[in-house]
Amino acid sequence: MPYQTVKGTYDLLPEKMKRFNELETLFRSFLEIYGYSEIKTPVFEYTGVFKKENDTSDMVTKEMYTFSVNEKDSLTLRPEGTPGVIRLIIENKLYGSMELPIKMAYIEEMFRHERPQKGRQRQFTQMGIECIGDKDPLIDAEVIALGYFYIKTIGLEGVKVLINSLGDTESRLNYKKELIDYFTPYKDQLCTDCQSRLLKNPLRILDCKIDHENPVVQNAPKMKLNEVSEEYFNQVKHYLDILGIPYEIDDKLVRGLDYYTDTVFEVVSTNEESGSQATIFGGGRYDDLVKEMGGPQLSGIGFAIGLERLLILAEAEGIFLESEPYLDAYVINLYENNDQAMKVAAMLREEGFITEMDYYHRSLKAQFKSSDRKKARFVIIIGEDEVKNETVTLKDTLTKAQEEVPVKELCERMDQLLEDYYE
Ligand code: HAM
């Protein structure tokens, strides 16, 4: 059997890789505009970075790639970006040296042992931001805005912003108690996952994929925010209104990770192509995570976009950010050696022209075929006469005009022809 990619992983062939890069480049320009600095954390960390005591999320309890090499340290492949960023901030004491809030971003591979399907891999890429050090509704709205306007700039249709508030620690504790009291008599009617979530994290029962149509879940009491949390959430909504970001309030949105407090949000696609994996990105605020990980009491908020899901949707909607690949110049070499062709190609590249040359000394026809296939704008032909005269034959493939040009004047002449053409 020939080797194949491992289930849930994939290759990126040149065309897809290019689209990936385009989406990343646009994301990076948003990071710059909004003042986020990109960082990279290691692909694996000590397991404790991701796994907290009493964690109930599927990601931590079932999906992490955890291993040990020397039977001493338990290590885990990064399943999400947030904890690594916080570890980095604490380890480097950035809260002492940088102005708050600290605005960090990452584009990194993540690993989760999930059941693979369209839009859900075991290795995937997240583009994420974390804004750590201050708690203000203005920041929540700004974080959502960065992600939302990025998606809108790509041009995706049918994008919906869902928001909810899980309340501050006090509201959450009260709500947790209320849910435990409510669900306990119905425990037998819940799925096995929810039965084990009941005491540890009853909020997760609300967005359980198995139980979501169960009347017991549908009739569960709603979150009652305390006054502070309510006012906070109202302010977030107010700023979203000011920014012109449409949103829906989804009171069952609790998100799959345990650390969220107050604002949580997801941006989902209504495009059928996204199938059951409609969440393009998700995120929320976390008041206690930095402290829990050994840092000071600093609140943070962030989100992560799944790059593969974004690509599926962009392709389904026929969106490509850049034009098809093409060449500025293809150097056809008919001379007995490669010296002059190499020199000319090097000169063109130095001047920024995207250039390729023939490596095989093929017939003129075969070389022209290659230049056609690669969509070269100019063809540069070098034969015996041209080498003798220190010239090249320059052919413009759009106007079909052909002329002999001294090598020294080639770049200038190409610039001139382009300028005349686009005038
Ligand atoms: P998450 O909801 O687990 O949040 O993941 C964020 C996004 O990553 C999802 O909306 C989805 O687009 C993508 N994603 C997740 N799992 C997969 C998968 N198996 N295959 C393909 N794409 C996937 C987090 O990871 C949080 N760290 C987000 C955050 C940042 N919250 C605060 N700051």
Side-chain angles (χ1 to χ4, degrees), residues 291-311:
K291 181 115 193 262
E292 243 178 85
M293 289 185 65
Q297 178 62 52
L298 292 175
S299 182
I301 181 166
F303 68 70
I305 303 176
L307 193 42
E308 289 79 4
R309 287 191 193 172
L310 199 55
L311 192 61

Side-chain angles (χ1 to χ4, degrees), residues 8 114-122 274-277 309 312:
E114 296 195 73
R115 201 163 39 80
Q117 63 183 79
K118 191 173 179 188
R120 196 208 278 153
Q121 297 86 29
R122 290 180 173 168
S274 57
S276 56
Q277 304 305 310
R309 287 191 193 172
I312 291 174

Side-chain angles (χ1 to χ4, degrees), residues 171-184:
S171 301
R172 248 165 78 108
L173 278 177
N174 290 340
Y175 188 43
K176 255 173 140 172
K177 245 177 95 231
E178 196 179 344
L179 286 178
I180 293 171
D181 290 345
Y182 168 79
F183 280 123
T184 300

Side-chain angles (χ1 to χ4, degrees), residues 23-51:
L23 292 170
E24 284 190 18
T25 303
L26 182 65
F27 187 67
R28 287 200 168 95
S29 72
F30 270 76
L31 297 181
E32 205 176 340
I33 293 167
Y34 280 78
Y36 279 80
S37 308
E38 192 175 340
I39 49 158
K40 255 202 195 312
T41 62
V43 170
F44 53 90
E45 302 252 11
Y46 290 115
T47 301
V49 170
F50 306 113
K51 186 178 177 170

Side-chain angles (χ1 to χ4, degrees), residues 80 82 106 112 114 119-121 124 126 130 255 257 259-260 279-284 286 302-304 306 309:
E80 59 150 334
T82 312
Y106 50 90
R112 296 185 193 177
E114 296 195 73
R120 196 208 278 153
Q121 297 86 29
F124 58 99
Q126 280 188 346
E130 309 294 341
R255 307 262 308 126
L257 302 166
Y259 47 67
Y260 293 112
T279 308
I280 309 172
F281 74 87
Y286 40 88
F303 68 70
R309 287 191 193 172

